[in-house]
Every structure is written in C-alpha cells, then in structure tokens.
Amino acid sequence: MNKALVLTAALSIVGCSSTTQMPQEIEAVRDYVAAAELEEVTEIRLREQLHYTYVNDRFVSIDTRRGDYLVEFLRNCWELRQNQITAEMVDIRRDNNYLRARFDTIRGCRISTIYEITEEQREELKALGDAPGDEIFLPDAD
C-alpha cells in the first residue's frame, strides 16, 4: 500500500513539473522577441506547401524562400505536436498564397502575430526549447 502511495505521489510531481515547464518556454520566447526587437509583419507569402518547425505549444518557425518567420498563436496549440490530422485541425486561409496574422490558422490554431527573423535567430529560438539537461555531453578526445 505504501509503495502505491509513493508511486502516485512521484507521478504527480513529475506531471506538475512537466506542466510548469511549458509556460517557462513560452515566456522565454516572448522575452527573446522583446529583447531582439523582432519586427512584426502582417503576412507571409507562400509559394510552396507550408512547413513549420515546432518551438513550443505557442510558437512555430517557418522558413520560406523570402525569409524566416516566427509565428505566435492566440492560445497554446497542442495540435502542433500531433502527427495525425483531425477535422478540428483544418486550416482556414483567405488566400492560399499568403499566411495572415489574426485571420488564418495552422493546424486549426488561429495565428496571433508573425515576426520576421533571421536564420541565426531561428536556431537560437529552437535552442530555447531545449530543456536544461537535454544537451549531450561529449568528452574531449585525448
């Protein structure tokens, strides 16, 4: 009986720690946007099918022929992590050649803001999502 209680308590703690990590990751990206003074744009011109890179449940990055962008959603969008597409994830677009803030969706999640970023900034943002300890330690070769 005591083992079951300890196991339940341990799982509760692990569950709580994983849910508090996401708001920290979102806040870290928002801090980065403010510190880097990223320029907001209203739309992205698309010439090919949309592909995005997951940053966290609130942000994705998109690279196009014309440049790189950081997209923020109105809400946390867990659908970004899903491999299967459901009816709720159908995208809304006014024009297939553009992706617009405040009107269009990705995976069914409404876009709040779009920021223009550089390739280097995209890599830095991707690294923000890595949790401490996720890095692989490789010892120096002797």
Side-chain angles (χ1 to χ4, degrees), residues 12-79:
S12 297
I13 291 170
V14 169
C16 290
S17 66
S18 66
T19 58
T20 59
Q21 182 180 5
M22 188 57 69
Q24 291 172 350
E25 290 178 9
I26 292 168
E27 197 57 41
V29 175
R30 286 187 176 143
D31 290 345
Y32 183 90
V33 168
E37 298 178 350
L38 297 182
E39 183 178 336
E40 190 175 325
V41 296
T42 57
E43 63 188 21
I44 302 171
R45 174 128 169 95
L46 300 173
R47 292 184 180 250
E48 62 276 342
Q49 186 172 356
L50 174 69
H51 296 282
Y52 63 85
T53 302
Y54 176 85
V55 176
N56 58 44
D57 282 354
R58 188 64 72 113
F59 291 93
V60 296
S61 65
I62 298 174
D63 60 339
T64 69
R65 291 186 205 173
R66 295 178 176 239
D68 295 333
Y69 301 90
L70 177 67
V71 174
E72 181 176 8
F73 298 97
L74 288 174
R75 64 171 177 84
N76 288 353
C77 185
W78 62 270
E79 293 89 346

Side-chain angles (χ1 to χ4, degrees), residues 52-126:
Y52 63 85
T53 302
Y54 176 85
V55 176
N56 58 44
D57 282 354
R58 188 64 72 113
F59 291 93
V60 296
S61 65
I62 298 174
D63 60 339
T64 69
R65 291 186 205 173
R66 295 178 176 239
D68 295 333
Y69 301 90
L70 177 67
V71 174
E72 181 176 8
F73 298 97
L74 288 174
R75 64 171 177 84
N76 288 353
C77 185
W78 62 270
E79 293 89 346
L80 298 168
R81 294 181 273 143
Q82 301 293 85
N83 290 330
Q84 296 177 338
I85 296 180
T86 65
E88 296 83 29
M89 295 181 189
V90 173
D91 286 338
I92 298 171
R93 301 258 169 75
R94 290 183 172 191
D95 184 335
N96 286 334
N97 295 321
Y98 290 92
L99 190 62
R100 292 186 172 91
R102 298 183 311 279
F103 300 106
D104 296 342
T105 65
I106 298 175
R107 290 281 176 127
C109 299
R110 186 159 315 278
I111 297 168
S112 168
T113 314
I114 302 171
Y115 301 98
E116 197 167 20
I117 58 175
T118 65
E119 186 176 339
E120 294 79 21
Q121 289 171 324
R122 184 185 64 199
E123 292 303 315
E124 289 175 14
L125 287 162
K126 194 165 87 172

